[in-house]
Amino acid sequence: MQIGRGIYKPWVVVLVAVFAIAYIWIMGNLLFIHGRVSGERYQYNLVPLETIGPLLVERERYGTEAWVKNLFGNIVLFIPLGIWIPWLFRSSRTGLKFTRTVILLLLAVELAQLVLRVGSFDVDDIILNTLGAWIGYTAFRLFVQFIKT
């Protein structure tokens, strides 16, 4: 990392660090505190598209809030991850390595939710979160190309 050049200018580093701390705090609350299950039976989903499919096909069956929160929330909240991973770890700047890193990180989060019985383990969350991270990764790649020209 060369401090002072391109995406590593001191003001960019400070700005990213502040956003990263806020993001980690918000996501920690959303994933592990807000989602606490108390007294109700813990739920999980191991079947890909079992949650996403009905939300897409039977949209009117679900309220707009549930639809937006489940689909777009799971995508939008992970866009920053797609920016920070390649920014912080040069080894994760190729598509395959980036995808592997994101999936392993998201799997760790989902497994922690399963073991701690907070939130819910859902393979569809991993799919949607990875899509969000890829949107961020694409934005990062475009930004790097832009500052190189």
Side-chain angles (χ1 to χ4, degrees):
M1 178 185 320
Q2 295 176 325
I3 300 295
R5 298 191 62 206
I7 61 173
Y8 298 109
K9 291 181 180 178
W11 69 270
V12 175
V13 171
V14 170
L15 185 66
V16 169
V18 168
F19 280 119
I21 291 166
Y23 179 78
I24 290 167
W25 182 78
I26 290 167
M27 294 306 286
N29 279 311
L30 285 172
L31 296 171
F32 296 104
I33 295 171
H34 178 69
R36 286 225 174 258
V37 177
S38 59
E40 57 184 82
R41 192 168 160 235
Y42 186 79
Q43 297 179 359
Y44 57 90
N45 170 37
L46 302 174
V47 180
L49 304 179
E50 188 170 283
T51 306
I52 298 171
L55 284 167
L56 292 174
V57 177
E58 305 170 39
R59 181 179 171 195
E60 61 282 342
R61 183 174 142 201
Y62 300 92
T64 302
E65 182 182 345
W67 192 80
V68 169
K69 188 187 297 183
N70 282 302
L71 290 179
F72 293 106
N74 275 313
I75 293 170
V76 171
L77 287 173
F78 287 86
I79 290 173
L81 200 61
I83 296 168
W84 290 327
I85 287 175
W87 189 76
L88 292 171
F89 306 105
R90 285 184 183 262
S91 62
S92 294
R93 288 195 181 167
T94 64
L96 186 59
K97 288 181 181 181
F98 170 78
T99 303
R100 182 189 66 216
T101 302
V102 166
I103 289 174
L104 288 173
L105 179 64
L106 295 173
L107 183 60
V109 168
E110 292 292 323
L111 287 172
Q113 287 182 323
L114 180 66
V115 169
L116 298 172
R117 296 202 180 282
V118 296
S120 64
F121 181 97
D122 192 341
V123 71
D124 286 349
D125 285 352
I126 295 172
I127 294 168
L128 293 170
N129 299 162
T130 302
L131 177 60
W134 259 93
I135 292 169
Y137 175 74
T138 302
F140 173 82
R141 300 284 299 198
L142 291 171
F143 178 73
V144 168
Q145 282 299 108
F146 175 74
I147 64 169
K148 282 184 178 180
T149 58

